[in-house]
Amino acid sequence: MTATETPTETAMRSRSRRVRPARTFRFGDRVSLRVRPRGLAVGTGLVAAITAVFAVLLMVGEYEIPLDKVVLALAGGGERLDLFFVRDVRLPRAWVAVLVGASLGVAGAVFQSLSRNPLGSPDIIGFTGGAATGAVAVILVFGGTMLQVSLGAVAGGVGTAALVYLLAMKRGVQGYRLILVGIGISAMLLSVRDYLLTRADLTEAKTAQIWMIGSLNARGWTEVISVCVCMAILLPVIFALAPRLRLMEMGDQTAGALGVPVQATQAVALIAASALTGAAIAVAGPISFIALAAPQLARRLLHSTGTAFFGAALMGALLLIAADLVAQRALAPAQLPVGAVTAVIGGSYLVWLLYREWRTGRA
């Protein structure tokens, strides 16, 4: 450690030394692929864990089905009851959990990259609250259908992102200013939701309250298709911006000197990540803490000094599908809302994260 080097910088330098260099595979003269051995191992492990939990979700329930019959039902064979539970009930719910978890993981990685802060997730900044307020307003004020509620969630999330970005912008957007403005906007949106609940009748208020906990109960192929469409549109935009976002983590001035259009990249990334958050919330409700925890857990597993978007997607999918398994089986035959499980796990993670930030002098 040099005389001017802090302990945190020393730890980062030590960690970077442990990371094995990427290997480049060339296919002809124009196509090449860079692969980090640790990244490949972690990605394979996360996919294997997701597959294992996915298979368990298809097997367990009030009507338990052995694995061989699950495989037979997925292939279109077997008894009628097996086909109904596997293909019409459990399979779409499991896919919704994977897709929503992946969406929240990527959105959280974008927000944490922009704010350069592990607390900069849509839950903390207020975009989740904006999407929830948009959906609740459609439920209580307009009595909207499920499609209209989904559109309200997306509009609420994007509108909140635009408002927070404009209020936080002063010669660019700084991380702590973005978080503080987001916390303030989130508190105001919470008061709006509480006011709407006090003005609604009992049935509508109960419907909105259940929705706000976040649940995957009774989710079907319609929700799977809607999330897939949103991911197919938004993920290419975010992954295309990933190299610029990694350069911006070194500071706006450095990124600008390297040719990155900082403000345009910030605006496009915020809108895309907010729309992805809104799409996820539209089908599952405001499930908390996945976007906060997934990017940081993936980053630690990968020993990466920058944001790992693909790793965050896999970790988000694993966290939500595992939380859904706990929600279904912890108090069986009663089922918990998955949002209650993620809140318990995520709250513990947030306490640990704040303690760690305090120990390292960053909070």
Side-chain angles (χ1 to χ4, degrees), residues 52 75 106 121 147 159 211 247 264 267 272 280 306 358:
V106 173
S121 78
L147 176 61
W211 185 88
L247 289 176
W358 174 73

Side-chain angles (χ1 to χ4, degrees), residues 197-273:
L197 286 173
T198 61
R199 303 294 296 176
D201 63 43
L202 186 59
T203 303
E204 290 178 335
K206 186 177 179 181
T207 301
Q209 192 67 45
I210 292 173
W211 185 88
M212 283 193 295
I213 296 174
S215 174
L216 297 175
N217 292 343
R219 297 306 187 266
W221 290 111
T222 303
E223 286 79 11
V224 174
I225 294 171
S226 63
V227 181
C228 281
V229 170
C230 292
M231 292 178 74
I233 297 171
L234 297 170
L235 285 184
V237 176
I238 293 174
F239 286 139
L241 292 175
R244 294 183 183 181
L245 292 172
R246 293 193 184 98
L247 289 176
M248 287 167 58
E249 291 177 9
M250 296 187 295
D252 291 348
Q253 290 186 344
T254 304
L258 294 172
V260 176
V262 174
Q263 291 195 10
T265 303
Q266 286 176 340
V268 175
L270 270 176
I271 292 173

